[in-house]
Amino acid sequence: MRNLKILFRCLLFAAVASSSNAQIAQRNILTEQLGYPPDAKLLIVHADDLGFTHSVNAASIKALESGAVNSASIMVPCPWFPEIADYAKSHLDFDFGLHLTLTSERVYYRWGPVAPAGKVPSLLDNNGYLHHDWTRETHIDPAEAEIELRAQIDRAYAMGVRPTHLDSHQYRLDSTNQDLFEVALRLAHQYKLPFFVTRDWFADFPYLEKTLGPIDVVIDHTITIQPDVFAAATTAPEKWAAFYNKAIRNMQPGVTELVIHLAYDDPEMRAATRERDTWGAAWRQRDFDFFTSAAFRQLLRDQHIQLITWRQIANRLPHN
Amino acid sequence: MRNLKILFRCLLFAAVASSSNAQIAQRNILTEQLGYPPDAKLLIVHADDLGFTHSVNAASIKALESGAVNSASIMVPCPWFPEIADYAKSHLDFDFGLHLTLTSERVYYRWGPVAPAGKVPSLLDNNGYLHHDWTRETHIDPAEAEIELRAQIDRAYAMGVRPTHLDSHQYRLDSTNQDLFEVALRLAHQYKLPFFVTRDWFADFPYLEKTLGPIDVVIDHTITIQPDVFAAATTAPEKWAAFYNKAIRNMQPGVTELVIHLAYDDPEMRAATRERDTWGAAWRQRDFDFFTSAAFRQLLRDQHIQLITWRQIANRLPHN
């Protein structure tokens, strides 16, 4: 959790961060590789956690079909993975990635590993589920993490998903240690897929920049909403849209990923998340309402922001 | 599925079946062991499939708390098991059993084994879930079934459930072969819990009677609603209650288990069961509506039916 908090702090200022000359140069490379002028503001509107519940699947599909949300990633160990895999299989033009998952972070609704439990003991709690959380005492064996994540990717392919990218649930692969980040990069290389990393995280996790090689993709910025906004929006609902409005108006040139969490505030989702408001049912309904609104589309137009996908980025990888 | 169909046929006539003298004698033993006169009509109103979805949990808890549903069993491998385990742990006076599960029978929402996958390969499909169904080609290794079911029972105890009985999801342990039925009885003996068997099934599955020993419990009859009633109720909704009314009015003396399936007809449940109406969302809402109605309570009073629980039966086992 400590690492996640650092990451939060880092992300909070992401949208308004100033850039060094070196960063501008690097940014221009990705933007230009994608065929855009160097001052273009490119945005991936990315829904996380597909497969988590039916509510997440239904709301995310609705938002993807409305067109203003244009990318998403899927959690393979989750019980509703077969539903979203079936959808992805019949919508191969959509920009679905895999949301590599090493935790089962809720209390009343849980899942185990995809790999055989005997091969990944360090990932499991006493009841056989993926850990609820990692404490300082939890030793996650990177070799076991790699076995589990390879099993997740293989199950996704076996069930018809053709992912365009990889990313990490709860940023565990980015924000824990170099060993786990190396696992993510090895999988990205093996499956020839880009793995989501942004240079916004470099200051807090110096091993990221050090570990990345010349064929790895680095996104310039990321934006995601924070628990303090959720708390404020409880009494002043307009603060939810205000956060996104400000963040998008402050977007810098380069490639930005907007990480969002969609679901309906319905009985299933309220029950699945009832022990904690953060990324809970009401939070996700607010995201759904904002990102399917006409106001969000208008904002993108007003700010001359162009939507891009991970598929476009993947197509620029040297091996593709 | 063939065995299930035979079982259906058998169950269809259960409520009106005539009894041999030997059966009456056996029935009297259980009834009298429970402390009731030999002509008493004793009923367990038993909700199956707890843990399956949040919708099942919420509707079943509501019906149990209303008092006219007085027993239920829980599926340990299901994603919502932690929710119902938490409830059971804080309601130790409720009559919760374990609904031993060897299948993951839906299409868009699925679960794997509780035991390590490497120890139970014959129970798993190509994607690592418990089989959707068993065909003639599926060889279920009884030793692996025993490993898996022991893991289910052990996880339930570890998470605070104190089961009063065992039964079998989709009657797989009763209606497949003697080997699997022996697994069920071994587990019942080891954990000192009664396992649900009724003499209604003896004619179609002769190995049942042959395998049962003197300490095993045998329920006299069972009642459960059938797909033909669901089909009829689509155009004539009153046929749902009419089935139960007739079955309960025709109840014979002895111990009967009424097997019911509760959930709300909500988005989660509709999505989880959408490929097949049988035991689907609308079916379960009809059961919920009937078994929480005042009419059902009145019917029990009118017919002088007394509700009993598996806990009462378990307390009469020689080792308890």
Side-chain angles (χ1 to χ4, degrees), chain B residues 156-176:
Chain B
Y157 277 100
M159 291 176 69
V161 182
R162 296 292 172 265
T164 59
H165 62 289
L166 303 174
D167 56 19
S168 169
H169 184 52
Q170 299 187 317
Y171 306 107
R172 299 278 168 164
L173 297 172
D174 312 284
S175 66
T176 305

Side-chain angles (χ1 to χ4, degrees), chain A residues 7-23:
Chain A
L7 198 58
F8 268 160
R9 201 153 27 86
C10 159
L11 293 170
L12 198 59
F13 301 101
V16 292
S18 65
S19 304
S20 72
N21 285 342
Q23 284 172 329

